[in-house]
Amino acid sequence: MAILNPRIHHTAIDGGAFQNEIQERNIMGVPAVFMNGAAFGQGRMTLSEIVNKIDTGAEQRAAQALNQRELYDVLIIGSGPAGAAAAVYSARKGIRTGLLGERFGGQVLDTVDIENYISVPKTEGAILATSLKAHVDEYDVDVIDVQSASRLIPATAPGEPHQIETAFGARLKARSLIIATGARWRNMNVPGEELYRTRGVTYCPHCDGPLFKGKRVAVIGGGNSGVEAAIDLAGLVEHVTLLEFAPAMRADAVLQAKLRSLPNVTICLNAQTLEVEGDGSKLTGLRYKDRVSDAEHRLSVAGIFVQIGLLPNTQWLEGTVERNQTGEILIDARCETSVKGIYAAGDCTCVPYKQIIIAAGEGAKASLSAFDYLIRNTPVV
Ligand SMILES: Cc1cc2nc3c(=O)[nH]c(=O)nc-3n(C[C@H](O)[C@H](O)[C@H](O)COP(=O)(O)OP(=O)(O)OC[C@H]3O[C@@H](n4cnc5c(N)ncnc54)[C@H](O)[C@@H]3O)c2cc1C
């Protein structure tokens, strides 16, 4: 925006290099965006999100415009790798395709290095997200960005469309749907976590690790992501304490061995985090219970990296498609849900191994299944 508009000035501060600047502003998570000196946004934001935030009434105007959209053959909800692949596959069949999502790229935007997307030996999340968008833009896809689905209204009779209601009240109709709303970080759900989020509680070691250079931090979770985060952080910070709820860590043996070899790491097993503590403006530590002795302990840390897995973004589907205990949408081998004409793909489903290549493959499969459904169920006119 600053490049295009001479009345907008922008200063970027590298928190790792200018520690005094981040201390003055109490920044514990990046990117932290300030507008005219006041806090404006936290975390990665797209240009559309920023403009929407500044432009009051934008969402309501967008909702009015969405209500005018014609019936889709396929409407895809969620624009991560699964949604993007589904959109490309649908559009290539020449059917009317819509793609509604909150932020194009999904979790890929939160990823630094990606080295396991076959045929691409090494890339970065932001680059892959841009390529996903460019690929979708090659085709006739109605991309509805920075919009969130809040309700699914399944068809009540054969031949009737399914409907998606957006957070701002617009209704979109489609003959078939593909749900690809992915997943988000799981919270600890303890007192103080919400209050000190981005003020010490963080979920991304790659993004926020350098802000804790030379400080003491805790990592919650002894799975692969927790142990990887602890290894990564041990090279940057003064000391890492890893807290694992269970009697043993679940991470791969090779990662555990690496972690145990590091001199500035302490591992606490059977440790249940009870509370995140702070001084009102920033985090100062946490309280945890030893589940064997029942003794409570205090840990003085500047940062807590929560690494306890992912939760599917499916809460908005309550009472519609069937889900399992963890909220993942149940699908069959063709990505079909419990409701005819509604398909699902990627991290929001019960398919194991949450990976980009798997999400993209599932998106493609869901799309082919939806097309197959349409050719059998759309009346000949
Ligand atoms: C830090 C990190 C590092 C990772 N590293 C790798 C890696 O190196 N290699 C690898 O293969 N995988 C990696 N993954 C996993 C990979 O990113 C995911 O498996 C993949 O992105 C899943 O794709 P998806 O399309 O199913 O969901 P997502 O990427 O989660 O995309 C879903 C999209 O739907 C949107 N959405 C959610 N709810 C709604 C709604 N109600 N209405 C509209 N839109 C909605 C979300 O905002 C999001 O944009 C990593 C994940 C993380 C978090």
Side-chain angles (χ1 to χ4, degrees), residues 221-290:
N224 276 346
S225 53
V227 172
E228 278 173 23
I231 294 170
D232 191 359
L233 289 164
L236 275 172
V237 303
E238 184 195 326
H239 186 270
V240 182
T241 306
L242 183 139
L243 301 172
E244 163 60 49
F245 184 83
M249 293 188 284
R250 284 161 293 112
D252 297 344
V254 57
L255 291 174
Q256 292 195 35
K258 170 78 190 166
L259 186 71
R260 289 184 204 284
S261 75
L262 299 172
N264 59 342
V265 173
T266 306
I267 300 164
C268 297
L269 302 175
N270 290 304
Q272 179 184 359
T273 309
L274 300 174
E275 187 179 357
V276 171
E277 298 180 322
D279 62 7
S281 71
K282 65 175 189 312
L283 180 152
T284 54
L286 62 79
R287 209 160 49 80
Y288 73 94
K289 182 174 84 173
D290 181 323

Side-chain angles (χ1 to χ4, degrees), residues 189-235:
N189 288 326
V190 297
E193 181 179 22
E194 195 61 44
L195 181 63
Y196 293 106
R197 177 167 304 164
T198 73
R199 291 191 283 172
V201 176
T202 166
Y203 301 80
C204 181
H206 305 297
C207 321
D208 300 333
L211 300 177
F212 297 91
K213 206 150 91 182
K215 296 184 177 159
R216 298 178 79 85
V217 301
V219 171
I220 313 295
N224 276 346
S225 53
V227 172
E228 278 173 23
I231 294 170
D232 191 359
L233 289 164

